[in-house]
Amino acid sequence: MLILHCPCCGIDADETELTPGGTAHLKREGPGSSDEAFERYLFLRENPRGVHFERWRHAHGCGKWFHAARCTMTLEVFGTYSAQTHAPPREILDRIAERRPQERREVA
Amino acid sequence: MSRRLSQGGRLIDRSRTFHFTVDGRRYGGFAGDTLASALLASNRTLMGRSFKYHRPRGVVSSGAEEPNALFGLGTGDRFEPNQRATMTELYPDLTALSQNRWPNLEQDLGGLISRAARVLPAGFYYKTFLRPRVFWKHVYEPVIRALAGLGHAPAEKDADRYEHFNVTVDVLIVGGGVAGLQAARRAGAAGLRVLLVEQTAQWGGRAPVDGAVIEGKPADAWITGVLSELQSMPNVHMRPRTMGAGVYDHGYALVYERVTDHVSGAQGPRHRLWRVRAGRILTTTGALERPLSFAGNDLPGVMLAGAVRDYVVNHAVTPGERVLVVTNNDDAYRTALALSEAGVTVPAIVDARPGGGGALAEAARSAGLRVLTGTAIAGLSGKRHVTGAALCLQDGTGEVTEQIACDTVAMSGGWSPVVHLWSHCGGKLTWDVDEVMFRPDPNRPPTGADGRGFVEAAGAANGYLATADILGDADRAARAVTEALGRSLDDAPALQAEREETAPIRAVWTMPEKAPVKLREKMWLDYQNDVKVSDVALAAQEGFESVEHAKRYTTLGMATDQGKLSNINGLAILADTLGAEIPAVGTTTFRPPYTPISIGSVAGEARGDLFQPIRRTPLHHLHEAAGAVFEPVGHWRRPYVFPRDGETVAQAVEREILTVRHKVGLLDASTLGKIIVKGPDAGRFVDMIYTNKMSTLKVGRCRYGLMCSENGFLMDDGVVARLDEQTFLCHTTSGGADHIHAHMEDWLQTEWWDWQVYVANVTEQYAQIAVAGPKAREVLETVGGMDVSKDAMAFMDWADGALAGIPVRVFRISFSGELSYEIAVPASRGEALWQALRSAGETHGIAPYGTEALHVLRAEKGLIMIGDETDGTVVPQDLGLDWAISKKKDDFIGMRGQQRRELSRPDRWKLVGLETLSGGVLPDGAYAVEEGRNANGQRNVQGRVTSTYRSPTLGRGIAMGLVRNGPDRMGEVLDFPGTDGVVHRARIVSPAFYDPEGERQNV
Amino acid sequence: MQRYSAFAIAREALRHHTGWQRAWRSPEPKRRYDTIIIGAGGHGLATAYWLGKLYGIRDVAVIEKGWLGGGNTGRNTTIIRSNYLQDPSAAIYEKSRSLYETMSQDINYNVMFSPRGVLMLAQTEAEARGYRRTAHANALQGVETQFVSSWRVKQLCPIISLEGPRYPVLGALWQPRAGTARHDAVAWGYARACSDMGMDIIQKCEVTGIRSEGGQVTGVSTTRGEIECDRLGIVVAGHSGALADMAGFRLPIESVALQALVSEPIKPAMDVVVMANTVHGYMSQSDKGEMVIGGGADGYNNYTQRGSFHHIEETVRALVETFPMISRLKMLRQWGGIVDMTGDRSPIISKTPLGNCFINCGWGTGGFKAVPGSGWAMAELMAKGQSPLAEAFTLDRFREGRFIDESVAAGVAH
Amino acid sequence: MSDVATPLADASFDGFVSVSEAPRTGMISLRGDLSDTALREVCGAVTGAAFPASRGASLDGSHGVLWMAPDEVLLLVAPGSVPDSLDRIGTALSDRHHLAVDVTDARALISVDGLGVRDVLAKLTPADVSPGNFGPGELRRTRFAQVAAAFWMPTEDSARVICFRSVATYVFDLLCHAAAPGGEVGYYR
């Protein structure tokens, strides 16, 4: 049972207040994009065994979307942050690097 | 015989006698007894039958680990199978039934199976019952199933109620023994929010029974003191009869409170399942004693030494007159001493250790007890109960050295820390060779959201068995937890507790060490599932070397006690057989719950009316009064039809349809989603959300729009009204409102967050009533208050106003093909308007209609219905809705998806109307076949029915369907085989069956 | 191989069962094999079995990171059915179901296939329509199902409550020849049969790399050394992403936790499998007498094999409503498994960008029922380069939008 | 008005705490820039209550401002004054991007009163309702069993619960089940 801090309203939200939204920082591909690019956008996922940047909505709370950096092997949470970003913020990446020096990370 | 002792019993109240019934026989016991102690006190030692061989079983333990003494408790709608007698507090008129026997516990025919035990080794069923094939289903399996299982299934609906309770605490302490009490005391003093739970009704655990002396006081006195201290702390909560059931990620724990199990006929919930969110979890869950593996160790009369001590000290019950004690460690000597103090004969203490025990052994000798060292049990005599034991040398192969008469054997194979909760979330264990136990590995705890360990084990649960060490470890753990939570703990002097010098335990996995297979076949590891030492050895021999394989092959540890008694012994045997070290073999995974919890408590309050929310429209009560038949639509309840006296549902539906076609009908459309989209960028936004060009919609007008998923498939549809330059009102399907609202918020918050748009879901603010039929306008004019004439309000116009003095918004839209107005009114005024419309329409024969009539009406018009014509794989182009897909826009959600090869294929299945040649109704969901079969031998198909009804308006069956290249094949006849063998033939026609020009709605 | 039979047991009993041989050898890996299958779960072992049986390819190693059958094969709720809507699904699941019928005899190992029948309850009008449609499709697909009345449902499963205050049972899709089997036995029986054909089953051997040259796999690096091969099959469920990574391609897959639980054993109370998809729960009674219960999956990426308890609560409340008598039973044990969800929730049995490397994954919540059929199709694909059963389940279908979507018939849960 | 129907028809229940439908209250959902003084002022003007901080419930009797989200507040006003309030908001914020809608009839408002109110809430919501973490002056949006709900505490031993109108009966029944005699938990003393 996850407990994630909602950066929008400041609540430590129980998982039952949240709705998961899948991988974060996907770049939308619209008309004109190649079949490969569109497939990557809709289907191909990193599905990492490690840190996953993902979307959550505080659906039974303030209703806002936010992002979380979470390890899929231990469920350790490296932080939550604004959904209005195209890439994880520096301090999150630093925290991951500090706690998981061995973790390989290509950053969008 | 087992009996009640004339004095003593720290837990029982001899002044309160309770009567209870087992298998129809009446017994008596005292307040404070458990069902097990009361039965023992009444010399009833046969308490169950084993699972596989139906062997006679007596109670072996005094606690949660009991595998044998299981009963069906209660009767009727309060009957519950598989209740542990050891955990069942006695209450007046308790009724119990023994299990897994026929005709009765004493003479169980199933018992004959044990005679064939020789040919029923581990996994025998994988090797036989192979032929003839049909026999498995019809002969073997039914017999096996009938013999398996334990208690009987409850027959009635549960009469009790259950509930959940959510708490957030700093530290959850599981286990109310001295370690838990001391840790709670320290953590409480540090100001932490503490929840301390204990699965039994008593605090203090084993210390009082073991005669511990703390701070110079007897344990009981010390405990009383600590309890009052804890009760005075407002930040400490204590719950007896409450078990830590499971530990989950991020500090979540399930705690199971048995609120009224111990009282008969109490009001209030039976069980309360606590959902605890804890900063840290401290397990002071104690340790469980291990049986010893010697031949015949499953006979009634063979018990754990600690359990024997419990019954003597707690309940003043002795399980026998001559109790032989057998052990590999010092603790069992306490049992011998307790027995002899109680005046029970202990013929001998059989100690497998050549050197024997420490101070306690000395005490035993000086109490005149006979101690045999380096000795073991070679076998027991007795059929239904122990009558005697044959002794041998532990280091030998079992040559009998002596016979001793006894009616009870108290055994101790050492103690195993209860590490379940530590392990549930991934905490690792380490094997302690000296103490012969798995204990929590402090370096590999389960980790939480912060990446640090969130479970701490203390006391016996952490591998400490001496009271002084236990209390010291509790202090340590309390400090560790407190500091982990960022608090500090002032130093307190370590507690003093008496400690006797002990001799080390000896690892004894079989008695004797070199026992031949003949003896090993009689050594039970898992009492309930009848798994023996020889079975585990067989598994290893056949290559089931991983502990998981061995467990699953032999069923060791898979009984209702989940291996609490058998796991360590079993894997020691496995390691021994494989010539491996115990840690190399490892343990099986511990899974929640610690002991079984009622399924009712997991469901909590969610049953009957509270099973799931029912969403009611503002007009619900009127529909109920009108005798509507309701249909679930998501969580909504919508009137399906309003049958009148003597009408069948079908007749009522026909009447409602004809009413709309010829007179006027009323529909509760309140469930339709209503979402307001407002802002400078609102037009731009709706252009992305809809396939249509919505930004060009004029204020005061309505337009039908389509929404697709990014994949391109049609997701939802509805009418959009433009309220003002910056504001759109988007109607969605009934099921779609919440989903579409979330969909819009998603795009606005996470993709186009710089766009200035706000959305609000106002679905429930309004009751929405459709007035449809040729007389609709007259009805509204009778009600009065607005000009609803054709000139004032043309088709697809909307206007604000008042009807019958009630503020309304009227949309001139139609889903029936008739002249129709949809009226939105504040929910609190919905009933008033509905009544006003009904009375105004009486002269016109107005009547309410339900969803089924609605569906037929739209089908007669060839209008699609989301969920009927669409199923998540259909694009708007398939439905001939190309007109609703803007060619001017360079992007909308779903546009790119629709450009993919499969979705833009020319030969996709497309929407058509279908008319049976017979005039009858096509079967729902039927497929149109074509010649030949595919590579997998399946019949080729070219289309399917999506909606099919009998049209009362047209007097015949009509259907809509998707057919390959359908629109280009008008007039063609297709075959639709039904599941009844009949082939239905239907002609492809236009889906607009009725009033194709739409003249009726445009008057 | 030592034949199993009642007679064999009686014979061994005379010598106290000391004469039983290992069910499968556990050899050291050779330097090279004709074919390597990564993953000794049900699907991997079935693939190896059919490679040997149908195509005489027996120079095969099945490499397993942990213990054979230790993944989802040993964690699922053992339901076997083939009442699927879409042609490709119905084809492979029906093939699988029919292979289950004779599996015990084929491999001389009792996998306890019990064709007790599966009921999928229709509890809303939409669901009833979906199942009527499925029944029509099944009739043309050669799958024996029928849409039965609620009266018949009660007859087949007396403990069911037809009158939920929410979702009265309107009828059900009934597949009489569907059922359950003993999951561990399927893996053990196949392993024994493969070992008997001379194949090497190598447990506790983790693949650390996949070596390739010019678009062809040449071998794998493992914790027990380098092993060469001419053909590679990746059949590793939850580890597919990692293996695909090693082979240099990405999968349309996300891994989530799916949970199940069992009650304490009770005497026989239900003789069919019941699935209630509207409320997300399904239940059957094992031969031991436990009620075996499963439900919906978590919605977030997870490899811990632990799920969120509120999903257990949702499942249990649904089943208490459907079977009121279970309220007073006790939950004995709950556990989780990791399932691979593809973009359309249907599996992948496909060639890969590497010419001689094939992958079988993405079974989501439905893998166990497919084991023999999946192995059959995978073996055919690896041996012949194409398989009618596998044809639709290619890796590139997502790019083209060629989905195999079963959720449309509400038959979502497994 | 006699023909105005409230979601629960003034239902009430007496358990170890009492549960009853609260008097009809006008509700306006307002979305906009909450840091904007004009917005804060008009909120004060129509409710007579101060503007709350994040997650705050600022009330003056039965009127007030509830902080719902970083860009949303819920205004509680007299039922009759909703149209006028909407006009005043519209005027005050005419040149600003905002959205104000009447949600009076979209919601139900339930009172829970008596000692043990926190125990009753804790049976239904995962939120931490312990005194140190939540109390008068705060608003919590969360879930009650299976539906969305929000609540605040006018006093130490009373709470107001807001939910959607369509599930008013469900939430009311939940509260009754939780408050039923014999269900006392005695956790929050």
Side-chain angles (χ1 to χ4, degrees), chain D residues 140-164:
Chain D
R140 184 68 154 90
R141 289 182 79 179
T142 176
R143 68 187 292 149
F144 265 36
Q146 299 173 57
V147 296
F151 60 89
W152 73 92
M153 297 179 73
T155 66
E156 255 313 313
D157 49 19
S158 69
R160 296 284 179 280
V161 178
I162 291 190
C163 66
F164 282 108

Side-chain angles (χ1 to χ4, degrees), chain C residues 262-339:
Chain C
V262 293
S263 75
E264 292 183 329
I266 52 169
K267 292 296 178 188
M270 76 188 290
D271 194 34
V272 295
V273 179
V274 173
M275 311 181 71
N277 293 321
T278 295
V279 292
H280 296 122
Y282 47 98
M283 182 165 97
S284 65
Q285 187 172 18
S286 72
D287 287 342
K288 276 185 70 185
E290 300 158 330
M291 293 297 183
V292 183
I293 290 171
D298 285 5
Y300 55 89
N301 297 51
N302 184 350
Y303 287 99
T304 61
Q305 296 193 332
R306 298 186 301 266
S308 300
F309 190 74
H310 64 96
H311 288 286
I312 294 280
E313 286 179 357
E314 184 193 2
T315 300
V316 163
R317 80 170 82 108
L319 291 169
V320 167
E321 204 58 23
T322 316
F323 308 95
M325 50 79 65
I326 70 169
S327 174
R328 293 185 88 89
L329 301 184
K330 297 189 219 66
M331 176 169 87
L332 175 61
R333 181 178 175 91
Q334 66 157 108
W335 66 91
I338 299 308
V339 295

